[in-house]
Amino acid sequence: MIRVLIADDQPLVRRGLALILTPDPGIEVVGEAADGAEAVALAQELRPDVVVMDIRMPVLDGVAATARLAEVRPGIRVLALSTFDMDEYVVAALRAGACGFLPKDVSPEELIAAVRTVHTGEAAVAPRLLTRLLSAYVRTVPREPRPAPATPDGLTPRELEIWRLLARGLDNAAIAAELDISVSTVKNHLTAVFGKLGVRDRAQAVIAAYETGLVEAERRSG
């Protein structure tokens, strides 16, 4: 059973998300929070597996709440929600430790699938959506100082190439086809890449690729 906490400042949205998730026999909605501070407090009390977290909330926004949870409850997976696909706060949330991002207009099936995905420790962000977001915002979003990501020097040539393809939006199957290797080999290489970079998942690995200059962000239009 996946225990889920819902955090959103709009009561109707919270109720709607709960109505989508509750009928699933493998999911239990254990609580609802109206802002980020309440989400952190309830997460410590209720110990959910996954927090479905709205990014823009009063008192403490979803980005700050995600960062706080990463410190006090690192085992909890955060699935960030936003009204807009191209929301600069999405990248900030992924940096803070969110395991995935969904726009609020996704289908019930996509929401349930994403909750299950982040619960397993995988990132629930469509690769091409993630790279589009990063191309637009990764060099412009203000962020707190932190240690620089590991440089590509610690990776083997094959690991470096797989990291580059991942950052360009390819999934495991596409990477395997590109390099003419098996999907299981790609997964093994990615595990090594994540460890050497000190990142938790695909989303943070892609962010690190942009921040180290492995993949150049496209110029923002307009």
Side-chain angles (χ1 to χ4, degrees), residues 44-152:
Q44 295 189 76
E45 175 188 346
L46 302 174
R47 302 194 178 190
D49 301 303
V50 176
V51 177
V52 178
M53 181 89 73
D54 184 26
I55 289 180
R56 300 186 181 223
M57 291 186 291
V59 184
L60 190 70
D61 66 29
V63 174
T66 297
R68 188 84 57 85
L69 283 176
E71 295 176 359
V72 300
R73 290 288 177 192
I76 292 177
R77 307 293 179 176
V78 174
L79 176 62
L81 298 181
S82 175
T83 304
F84 305 102
D85 285 1
M86 296 296 290
D87 190 330
E88 64 269 28
Y89 286 93
V90 172
V91 172
L94 294 171
R95 273 202 192 97
C99 295
F101 158 74
L102 289 179
K104 286 188 177 180
D105 61 356
V106 295
S107 68
E109 294 77 16
E110 288 173 315
L111 175 62
I112 292 170
V115 168
R116 292 185 176 279
T117 297
V118 299
H119 180 246
T120 66
E122 295 293 325
V125 184
R128 296 192 185 281
L129 173 59
L130 178 59
T131 52
R132 191 169 77 242
L133 282 162
L134 288 166
S135 294
Y137 294 110
V138 77
R139 295 196 183 281
T140 59
V141 176
R143 56 186 183 274
E144 295 296 322
R146 64 179 181 84
T151 64

Side-chain angles (χ1 to χ4, degrees), residues 95 146-151 154-155 163 190-202 204-205 208 211:
R95 273 202 192 97
R146 64 179 181 84
T151 64
L155 303 176
W163 184 28
L190 284 176
T191 298
V193 169
F194 295 170
K196 291 179 180 180
L197 294 176
V199 301
R200 187 172 64 186
D201 54 31
R202 301 173 73 91
Q204 292 188 347
E211 291 184 332

